[in-house]
Amino acid sequence: MAIIKKQLILLIICSFLLMPFAGSAVAAADLSPSAFAQENVTMHSGASDQYQAKALISKSKEFIIIGEFTNSLNEHWLRIKYDGETGWIKDTGIRRMDLNAQYFTSSAAKTPIRRGASLSYQHAGDLKHGAMVKIMDTFTREDGEMWVRLSDGNVTGWSRLQDLELFEGTRNYLNKPVFVKTDTQVKRGASSAAKAVYTLKKGKEVTIQSTLINGKEVWHRIADGKRSGWVPGDSVASQVNYSAYMYVKDQSAAIRRGASASYKTVSNLTYGQQVKITSEFVNGSGDIWYKVSAGKGLEGWIPGTSLTSQPMKVAYLTIDDGPTIYSNKLLDTLSQYNAKATFFMVNGNINAYPKAVKRMVTDGHAVGSHSVTHDKNKFYRSPATAVNEMKTTRNTIKKVTGVNSNLIRTPYGSIPYMKQNYRNAMAKEHFIMWDWNVDSMDWKFNSSSYVNYTLHYVDMQEKKGQAPIILIHDRKATVNALPSLLSQLKKRGYVLAPLNESMTPHQFKLK
């Protein structure tokens, strides 16, 4: 009995030693896993001509041999994988290819790599679709199932041959956007010894089409417009840091805490607003996002589709002293011309026309405070009186609209009354003071004559390379002539956008 037990134990040990596992020396099978048809070959659903024909493999077409079988007629048949399908062909009219010259990849999103040539072995990693590998060794199990030993550059192990496919050199497997980390030479082949064809600049966006893993060296085949070639794996990344300036091309663009629309909004940017780019990133969905800095410590992420490198032609229409009985007509006109404005309002008027104020916010305009009294003798009595009037108006805007706006315009502008101590007091309460660089003088003309006067100074600002910040008032004559002003601005190529708190305010300089 003891002898039988010893023999049984010895048999188990021998069986274990003969099983392939990662790192073991496994005798290669005689069967080469890659081949091509030397003539037209019919693929059947089973290892006999009696089985249904599944496909015709044309001459010179490549396929993978994943198993073999000798049927009752003593015919040798091969189980193959061709064009995503598995089936059987007679072992005639084919030519096996040099295994070392062939590249393989996963036929699915990923193929498990195991410690040994069996599904029972531990899962060690995955070969991803589009990653190119060469087969290091092969093993055919007793059931005819072929396994191959390979390495993805990190993990070496065994995968079922039926889960792989021959790598097609012209196919775009990945289509993954990435960025070049440093100035990088593009090579004709996946080797540092290959000839360089051109150079990619740092920060350039390219598309990874496939990845070659040979030993521990990783290369990516990339596409750059109509050009393509190979670059080292560590020369590109999903994120690259650099410094540049871009411009918002949407009417309103949200800055988010992370590089996805699922993240919370930090703030909103305005059409034409310049932002500093500090990082570029491709998220899990393949979308490009930029990390931006918009001033005043405001940072966050914005989709690449919302930005452009080209400066935008933008003007800012600012409207003082409202709301009034003319505000709804004014808002109708702005809507007609798809123009956004910024309303600096007086506290009592907000209480008198709350519906108009709510509509301003709903229509996408910016709102801000313009005092309580609009009386220079009362407002500028002291820094404290000026701050208190703005705080009162800010609270009223929030009560009516839910918007906590720190935008302000002081009565008659900041010169000559807003001395440095007044400005310091406003800044302490987080108020952001705006003046103007185009005064329409609409209060003086009291007619449509203000339009041509305004356009003259708009043109002067354009020659200086400055965005016009236009001052008008919520009054009858101004509102009646507003279509003419908006039409002329549109002809000049301007888009009218609202101010926001992340922008650097235009202020009159202290003398």
Side-chain angles (χ1 to χ4, degrees), residues 324-343:
T324 69
I325 58 173
Y326 310 108
S327 293
N328 276 319
K329 183 178 179 181
L330 192 160
L331 289 166
D332 288 341
T333 302
L334 291 173
S335 178
Q336 179 184 347
Y337 286 87
N338 195 28
K340 304 299 179 185
T342 304
F343 290 84

Side-chain angles (χ1 to χ4, degrees), residues 320-321 346 369-377 379-380 386 389-390 408-418 426 433 435-436:
D320 286 7
D321 295 354
V346 177
S369 303
H370 192 43
S371 81
V372 175
T373 64
H374 206 282
D375 184 330
K376 65 179 184 293
N377 295 320
F379 184 87
Y380 295 107
E389 286 204 22
M390 291 304 189
I408 64 168
R409 172 168 287 161
T410 57
Y412 311 104
S414 64
I415 295 295
Y417 306 108
M418 288 295 290
M426 290 293 183
M433 182 178 70
D435 288 312
W436 57 87

Side-chain angles (χ1 to χ4, degrees), residues 267-268 341-345 347 350 354 356-369 390-408 431-432 498-501:
S267 184
N268 287 286
T342 304
F343 290 84
F344 291 107
M345 298 176 289
N347 189 71
I350 297 171
V357 181
K358 289 178 181 178
R359 182 183 170 188
M360 291 171 190
V361 173
T362 302
D363 286 1
H365 304 290
V367 291
S369 303
M390 291 304 189
K391 286 173 70 174
T392 298
T393 309
R394 179 172 63 184
N395 290 338
T396 302
I397 291 173
K398 185 174 183 180
K399 181 180 178 181
V400 171
T401 66
V403 174
N404 185 43
S405 174
N406 293 312
L407 301 176
I408 64 168
F431 286 118
I432 302 167
L499 303 175
N500 67 56
E501 295 185 15

Side-chain angles (χ1 to χ4, degrees), residues 177-179 205-206 259 280-283 285-290 301-306:
V178 291
F179 307 104
E205 180 192 342
V206 296
E280 197 170 9
F281 177 69
V282 179
N283 66 16
S285 300
D287 301 321
I288 296 175
W289 284 68
Y290 292 100
W301 293 87
I302 186 170
T305 53
S306 296

Side-chain angles (χ1 to χ4, degrees), residues 190-248:
S191 166
S192 55
K195 184 180 178 181
V197 287
Y198 64 95
T199 300
L200 289 170
K201 294 294 184 181
K202 178 182 177 180
K204 174 70 175 176
E205 180 192 342
V206 296
T207 301
I208 294 180
Q209 296 184 311
S210 56
T211 301
L212 169 60
I213 302 170
N214 191 5
K216 290 193 174 181
E217 197 173 46
V218 178
W219 286 77
H220 297 306
R221 190 180 72 197
I222 59 93
D224 169 32
K226 293 183 179 180
R227 302 183 297 181
S228 63
W230 292 88
V231 296
D234 60 358
S235 66
V236 295
S238 295
Q239 182 169 340
V240 62
N241 299 326
Y242 62 96
S243 179
Y245 288 91
M246 297 185 78
Y247 303 86
V248 178

